[in-house]
């Protein structure tokens, strides 16, 4: 399975056990992508780190 | 059928490992993005379920935990634990009340008072946001001029940054310790080594196993007694033969600690959460 990077349109491979919410990194442009849906496969740029994110 | 529901807002390696661990233990499990739904009077799930709250946003994690608890749903960790761990000042106060060793800390509510607090505490010292993680916005302050600049800048960053939390700088050598406590029992620990004064593995600190001895186990049990919770990730410094508790995390990340310790941390966390389900 592959998705198309929303920034550079490169093909990005998805792992076999991919699920919604999974994060991918585009190998071409380095953009972090979030899997929004699996059927059909939809990705968008992952949200930027927020001030209260972490452990 | 009772189900373990793992909440997330950003699916990290940890949440996937937790789901895998649940599947290996034949625990019915569902990953749920809290951003997909809204919350009102309708119960989020059955009251015989147990929820493992793993949202990367502290504020959202605590908020959803509070909502679910109000619906009679058991949440791991409880929102009361999140409230303590999510604020470094609150954590320090809880540790101080329990008499647990920690770096000296000072609090101020204006840049001018923060500078004076730092003058009293001595240089260098560390200024941290009371709410924050992954080493963000930490400042090691070496002299008064730097203090004046840092506190002036922080005063412009918004309300939360106008509570100035200042901590004694600990000469910890090249490492600190991250220890994991599940259901009150210390299960493993790593040292995190870095040439940088910030040793967080999220910032490149190298992890290796630290065998637990009776001394550190005792400290970790004291931390759990003071704060509670089913899963805590405790950061410690070693200074002059004494353990000092630096921070306590309620939503600890553990991906870099499994291999060096040989401990199946996600399995232990899932087991602990599942054992908290109300039907038991």
């Amino acid at each position: 399975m592959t998705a198309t990077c929303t920034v550079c349109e490169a093909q990005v491979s998805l792992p076999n056990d991919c699920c919604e919410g999974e994060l991918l990194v585009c190998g071409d442009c380095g953009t972090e992508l979030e899997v929004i849906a699996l059927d059909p496969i939809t990705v968008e740029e992952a949200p930027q780190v927020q001030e209260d994110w972490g452990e | 059928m009772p189900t373990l529901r793992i909440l997330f807002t950003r699916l990290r390696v940890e949440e996937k490992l937790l789901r895998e661990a649940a599947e290996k233990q034949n625990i019915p499990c569902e990953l749920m993005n809290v951003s997909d739904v809204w919350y009102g009077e309708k119960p989020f799930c059955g009251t015989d379920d147990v929820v493992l709250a793993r949202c990367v946003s502290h504020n959202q994690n605590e908020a959803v935990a509070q909502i679910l608890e109000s619906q009679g749903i058991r949440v791991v960790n409880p929102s009361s634990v999140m409230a303590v761990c999510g604020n470094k000042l609150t954590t320090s106060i809880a540790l101080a009340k329990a008499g647990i060793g920690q770096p000296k800390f000072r609090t101020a509510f204006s840049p001018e008072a923060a500078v004076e607090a730092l003058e009293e505490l001595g240089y260098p010292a560390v200024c941290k946001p009371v709410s924050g993680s992954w080493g963000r916005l930490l400042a090691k302050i070496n002299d008064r001029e730097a203090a004046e600049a840092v506190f002036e800048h922080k005063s412009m960053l918004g309300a939360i940054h106008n509570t100035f939390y200042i901590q004694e700088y600990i000469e910890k050598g090249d490492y600190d310790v991250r220890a994991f406590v599940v259901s009150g029992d210390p299960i493993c620990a790593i040292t995190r080594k870095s040439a940088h004064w910030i040793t967080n593995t999220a910032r490149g600190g190298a992890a290796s196993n630290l065998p637990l001895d009776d001394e550190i186990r005792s400290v970790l049990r004291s931390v759990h007694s003071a704060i509670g919770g089913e899963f805590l990730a405790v950061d410690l410094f070693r200074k002059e033969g004494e353990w000092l508790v630096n921070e306590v995390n309620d939503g600890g990340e553990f991906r870099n600690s499994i291999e060096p310790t040989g401990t199946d941390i996600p399995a232990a966390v899932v087991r602990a959460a599942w054992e908290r389900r109300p039907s038991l």
Side-chain angles (χ1 to χ4, degrees):
Chain A
M1 291 190 295
T2 62
T4 301
C5 176
T6 54
V7 174
C8 73
E9 299 188 347
Q11 292 301 298
V12 181
S13 296
L14 278 65
N16 292 332
D17 62 347
C18 187
C19 50
E20 288 182 17
E22 183 120 15
L23 298 171
L24 311 168
V25 176
C26 174
D28 277 17
C29 71
T31 297
E32 195 171 45
L33 302 166
E34 181 174 352
V35 178
I36 302 303
L38 291 172
D39 188 20
I41 294 170
T42 309
V43 298
E44 61 183 34
E45 280 189 72
Q48 296 292 307
V49 173
Q50 300 292 309
E51 189 174 1
D52 72 333
W53 282 19
E55 302 183 84
Chain B
M1 181 170 56
T3 300
L4 174 67
R5 301 185 185 278
I6 301 174
L7 307 187
F8 71 95
T9 48
R10 180 182 168 106
L11 195 65
R12 294 168 289 184
V13 172
E14 279 76 10
E15 285 69 56
K16 295 184 74 175
L17 290 172
L18 289 164
R19 183 185 62 175
E20 288 175 20
E23 289 171 348
K24 283 180 187 169
Q25 296 178 53
N26 296 316
I27 297 171
C29 178
E30 189 172 348
L31 278 171
M32 303 180 75
N33 188 337
V34 301
S35 307
D36 289 345
V37 296
W38 56 273
Y39 303 83
E41 295 169 359
K42 182 185 173 190
F44 176 79
C45 60
T47 53
D48 55 351
D49 292 342
V50 63
V51 165
L52 184 54
R54 294 283 309 177
C55 302
V56 74
S57 157
H58 164 75
N59 292 333
Q60 293 182 346
N61 209 40
E62 187 177 345
V64 76
Q66 288 175 330
I67 295 165
L68 271 50
E69 287 167 351
S70 76
Q71 297 174 347
I73 297 163
R74 189 156 296 172
V75 182
V76 173
N77 282 310
S79 62
S80 58
V81 172
M82 297 176 189
V84 174
C85 296
N87 184 300
K88 292 181 175 61
L89 175 59
T90 311
T91 304
S92 289
I93 291 169
L95 296 173
K97 280 183 181 173
I100 296 167
Q102 63 179 315
K104 295 175 190 168
F105 66 98
R106 301 287 183 267
T107 311
F109 300 103
S110 70
E112 296 78 15
V115 171
E116 295 311 311
L118 220 163
E119 289 277 310
E120 183 271 334
L121 190 60
Y123 299 100
V126 178
C127 182
K128 299 179 172 181
V130 290
S131 178
S133 188
W134 295 339
R136 280 193 310 275
L137 295 178
L138 303 190
K140 181 184 172 195
I141 301 174
N142 295 327
D143 55 41
R144 185 179 182 104
E145 287 77 13
E148 290 170 347
V150 167
F151 294 137
E152 181 185 4
H153 282 76
K154 285 183 68 69
S155 71
M156 304 290 181
L157 292 180
I160 192 72
H161 295 282
N162 279 274
T163 295
F164 298 89
Y165 175 86
I166 306 154
Q167 197 182 57
E168 169 192 18
Y169 177 74
I170 301 296
E171 288 287 356
K172 60 186 185 310
D174 62 349
Y175 78 98
D176 70 355
V177 169
R178 158 64 60 93
F180 297 93
V181 181
V182 177
S183 295
D185 290 327
I187 61 166
C188 63
I190 58 167
T191 59
R192 303 183 294 192
K193 294 188 177 179
S194 171
H196 196 278
W197 68 275
I198 299 174
T199 45
N200 197 315
T201 56
R203 296 176 62 131
S208 57
N209 184 47
L210 177 75
L212 297 174
D213 61 17
D214 289 345
E215 183 189 7
I216 196 169
R217 285 179 190 275
S218 175
V219 172
L220 294 168
R221 288 199 175 98
S222 298
V223 171
H224 179 262
S225 295
I227 294 177
E230 304 308 312
F231 177 52
L232 299 175
V234 184
D235 296 342
L236 307 101
F237 297 138
R238 188 75 171 169
K239 181 190 177 189
E240 297 171 0
E242 180 189 7
W243 287 112
L244 301 177
V245 176
N246 180 33
E247 294 182 7
V248 185
N249 302 282
D250 65 281
E253 293 171 337
F254 47 77
R255 74 187 74 171
N256 297 319
S257 303
I258 299 169
E259 189 274 329
T261 65
T263 301
D264 193 341
I265 299 169
V269 173
V270 162
R271 193 178 309 119
W274 190 236
E275 287 172 356
R276 289 285 294 154
R277 67 190 188 279
S279 54
L280 281 185

